[in-house]
Amino acid sequence: MEQDVAKEAQTNEEMNRDTLGSYLKKAREEKKLGIEAVSSHTRINITNLSALEADDVNRLPNIAYVRGFVKTLSKTYDIDENKAINLLEELYGQSSSSSKQQLEAEDFPQAQVEKKQDLKPKSFEFSDSLKYKVISLVGLISIGIFIYININKSKEVDSQDTSKEVVLKTKAIETTQEPPVEETPQEETQVAQEETAAVEANVEEKEEVAAIETKVPEEEKTTEKKEEAPKEINFYNLPSPLFGFKEISDEERNELIPENIRNSYEDDMQNVFLRSTSGDSWVVYKKDDEPIKAFTLKEGRYVFIKGQRVIVRLGNINAMHVFYNNDLLGMTSRSGVKSLVFPVEIAKEYKLPLFIFNKDGSFQTSKEYIEAQKKSEE
């Protein structure tokens, strides 16, 4: 009977005992810090922070890296660093003593080297002949440096005199020559093509070569013009389906999407939320009739797009979380580039490449470009 009671007490004590994840999560909540704020302050990825608080070793890197995370978090939360390290060792199934030995070996490699070496100073005396040789060598080096400096100075003076003569002669020649005939080439235009998951191997960058007009001197009384027809852009249909959905817990969703953004959702609108979590990404998008916007989305930053019609081109999507109407999208792309259209019912109105880069630096959607070409042909 007493043994059963002791076992039950021991079991209750183990259940009430803190794990590394519960210890860190409790400390963060006591500080009233969000996991996003901690990630931004400590530069520790949100995925690693979530795995630490969940005691999920499979999602964590090597313990050598995690030990640094735990030390940083201990200082941030003002908690007992030794206790946190011990809990980490228990999580990875290592004893505290082996951890200390590993720390000594990894963090202080000089300590073991110094134990094996005899650090007694050795005396060394210079002989008289060696002293004379050293003094003679220093003297020769000094003389050589002095001669080298003087030679360079004399060369600089000679080159300056020569350059003055060349400048004077050049000016005299320029005053006797007639002004050259100027050529005014027109601007060259490049149309950047989009790579997507369905047509990455086929879509290439196309360059539109503009005509070049050359002015000929008046004495020849002839004008020559060379023109090349612009190369046609190859368009492709958008793949179907454009995207799928990925499961995510409410807690993770709330950590990635700020509360004020979630409260801004509207049922009759296309609500698109983008966040770069593990690297910089780039975004080109257009909503409704507003101008096209293009920018780099830095790591840790986010953007919220809301409209009746939203078309987006994304780069480095593997470093992003994309939410559509509060649901996480699951996407893959070998090139890291993805084109999206919301709602999906209007996707048939657009082609790949989704955006066309004009020669004046402006953008057009594929729909606008095709319609403009049709009008010009009529």
Side-chain angles (χ1 to χ4, degrees), residues 243-246 248 250 253-254 257-258 261-274 303-310 312 321-330 340-345:
F243 55 82
F245 292 100
K246 185 177 180 181
I248 188 174
D250 292 338
R253 181 185 290 106
N254 294 338
I257 307 176
I261 300 297
R262 298 196 304 270
N263 295 334
S264 300
Y265 286 171
E266 296 184 23
D267 294 336
D268 58 342
M269 302 289 280
Q270 310 303 313
N271 304 284
V272 181
F273 178 80
L274 313 173
V303 61
F304 176 52
I305 309 169
K306 179 171 64 175
Q308 295 288 347
R309 300 162 67 98
V310 178
V312 188
H321 284 80
V322 181
F323 289 86
Y324 173 51
N325 291 336
N326 211 34
D327 292 324
L328 178 63
L329 300 187
L340 300 170
V341 179
F342 307 102
V344 293
E345 290 78 11

Side-chain angles (χ1 to χ4, degrees), residues 18-28 74 77 79-81 83-84 87:
D18 282 333
T19 64
L20 176 62
S22 62
Y23 186 51
L24 294 176
K25 185 174 182 180
K26 185 193 300 181
R28 177 175 61 80
S74 298
Y77 298 155
I79 59 177
D80 188 350
E81 181 178 315
K83 179 179 178 180
L87 291 174

Side-chain angles (χ1 to χ4, degrees), residues 113-254:
V113 176
E114 291 177 355
K115 290 179 181 179
K116 296 178 181 180
Q117 293 180 348
D118 185 6
L119 301 178
K120 292 182 180 180
K122 296 181 179 180
S123 59
F124 183 81
E125 295 181 356
F126 288 96
S127 63
D128 292 339
S129 61
L130 183 59
K131 289 180 181 179
Y132 293 137
K133 290 179 181 179
V134 171
I135 293 172
S136 301
L137 180 61
V138 172
L140 291 173
I141 292 173
S142 300
I143 294 171
I145 293 173
F146 178 77
I147 294 172
Y148 178 77
I149 292 173
N150 287 328
I151 291 173
N152 283 342
K153 285 183 177 180
S154 62
K155 287 182 179 180
E156 289 177 0
V157 172
D158 294 340
S159 63
Q160 287 178 359
D161 294 338
T162 304
S163 63
K164 288 180 181 179
E165 292 178 1
V166 171
V167 170
L168 291 173
K169 290 180 181 179
T170 303
K171 288 183 177 180
I173 292 171
E174 289 178 351
T175 56
T176 60
Q177 291 180 346
E178 295 180 355
V181 178
E182 295 182 355
E183 293 184 354
T184 58
Q186 297 180 350
E187 294 182 349
E188 294 183 354
T189 303
Q190 290 186 340
V191 179
Q193 298 296 315
E194 179 183 10
E195 297 177 351
T196 63
V199 292
E200 290 161 0
N202 297 324
V203 179
E204 299 178 353
E205 292 186 353
K206 302 294 183 180
E207 184 180 68
E208 182 180 348
V209 180
I212 300 178
E213 179 181 344
T214 306
K215 292 185 179 179
V216 182
E218 294 180 357
E219 299 130 7
E220 298 182 2
K221 297 182 180 180
T222 58
T223 304
E224 296 180 358
K225 293 184 180 180
K226 296 182 181 179
E227 293 186 356
E228 287 187 13
K231 294 183 180 179
E232 184 179 355
I233 301 174
N234 296 323
F235 289 99
Y236 304 86
N237 293 326
L238 286 162
S240 179
L242 279 176
F243 55 82
F245 292 100
K246 185 177 180 181
E247 293 184 1
I248 188 174
S249 66
D250 292 338
E251 182 180 357
E252 290 177 324
R253 181 185 290 106
N254 294 338

